[in-house]
Amino acid sequence: SEITYTYGIYGRGLSLVQIVTVVATSMVLPLIPLMTKMLAKNEKNEARGMIEKTHYITHLVSWPAAIGILALVIPINIALFKDTVGSDTLGIIGLSSVFTALVLLGTGVLQGMNLAKVGAYIIVGGTALKVLTNYFLVAEFGLIGAAFSTLIVYIVLFIVNSFMINRALPYSLCNAKITKFVVSALIMGAVVYAPSF
């Protein structure tokens, strides 16, 4: 009963993550055949532009949403679940949604580049890493350890995906616009969090 209760609290965060990742998912589905078509025609510049544009949109949507969830996690927890239990865990899982969205996008790009096997191996490696980090972090820190494990795994998956995509087709991974999104989202989060503080 304790395990079921604890997993129920962790599940609260997973439902919030879906809000952020739905945008990335909706972009991935049409992106895969489009990327395959462009690369089949050797339109590398167009494919590069498509990768950069989809990353741009994902960053634009994901950072404010994730930082917003992190800043408002206590009121959101009360509004949706009637208490503040597990708010710290929900906040960390909410923050990981940025990288979850970017991993979804990166996996879709790899599939579009006919590197589906590479994407699959990366996901399998991520699963092994999740088991390993859960084993140590949950034992040491409890439920919030599972949330940090999720964050770590998705950051690693994002880095590996980006490396593999960049190796096959170099593109601009981070630029001034994306930095502005992150900084703006952090400022927004601080302002939104101020009344709760």
Side-chain angles (χ1 to χ4, degrees), residues 75-177:
I76 288 171
N77 208 4
I78 292 169
L80 296 179
F81 307 107
K82 310 299 182 191
D83 58 39
T84 61
V85 177
S87 291
D88 50 358
T89 302
L90 267 68
I92 301 300
I93 294 172
L95 183 61
S96 74
S97 63
V98 173
F99 300 100
T100 307
L102 289 167
V103 167
L104 281 169
L105 182 60
T107 303
V109 169
L110 286 170
Q111 288 177 3
M113 298 172 82
N114 292 320
L115 295 172
K117 279 187 179 180
V118 173
Y121 290 138
I122 292 169
I123 296 297
V124 170
T127 304
L129 181 61
K130 177 67 173 158
V131 170
L132 193 64
T133 53
N134 267 357
Y135 181 79
F136 291 105
L137 293 177
V138 173
E140 187 68 28
F141 302 106
L143 191 58
I144 198 168
F148 275 114
S149 168
T150 299
L151 179 61
I152 291 164
V153 168
Y154 277 112
I155 289 172
V156 170
L157 287 175
F158 165 63
I159 291 168
V160 175
N161 272 353
S162 299
F163 174 78
M164 296 308 295
I165 294 165
N166 200 54
R167 196 170 78 165
L169 184 66
Y171 72 103
S172 175
L173 181 61
C174 186
N175 54 39
K177 285 183 179 178

Side-chain angles (χ1 to χ4, degrees), residues 31-110:
L31 178 67
I32 296 170
L34 188 61
M35 284 283 303
T36 305
K37 187 178 176 182
M38 286 177 175
L39 291 172
K41 292 181 178 179
N42 204 30
E43 297 174 344
K44 290 188 176 181
N45 287 334
E46 289 81 356
R48 183 180 295 109
M50 185 61 63
I51 293 170
E52 289 175 354
K53 184 184 270 187
T54 51
H55 272 85
Y56 172 88
I57 295 168
T58 304
H59 281 287
L60 175 66
V61 173
S62 300
W63 280 105
I67 298 296
I69 289 171
L70 182 62
L72 292 171
V73 70
I74 293 172
I76 288 171
N77 208 4
I78 292 169
L80 296 179
F81 307 107
K82 310 299 182 191
D83 58 39
T84 61
V85 177
S87 291
D88 50 358
T89 302
L90 267 68
I92 301 300
I93 294 172
L95 183 61
S96 74
S97 63
V98 173
F99 300 100
T100 307
L102 289 167
V103 167
L104 281 169
L105 182 60
T107 303
V109 169
L110 286 170

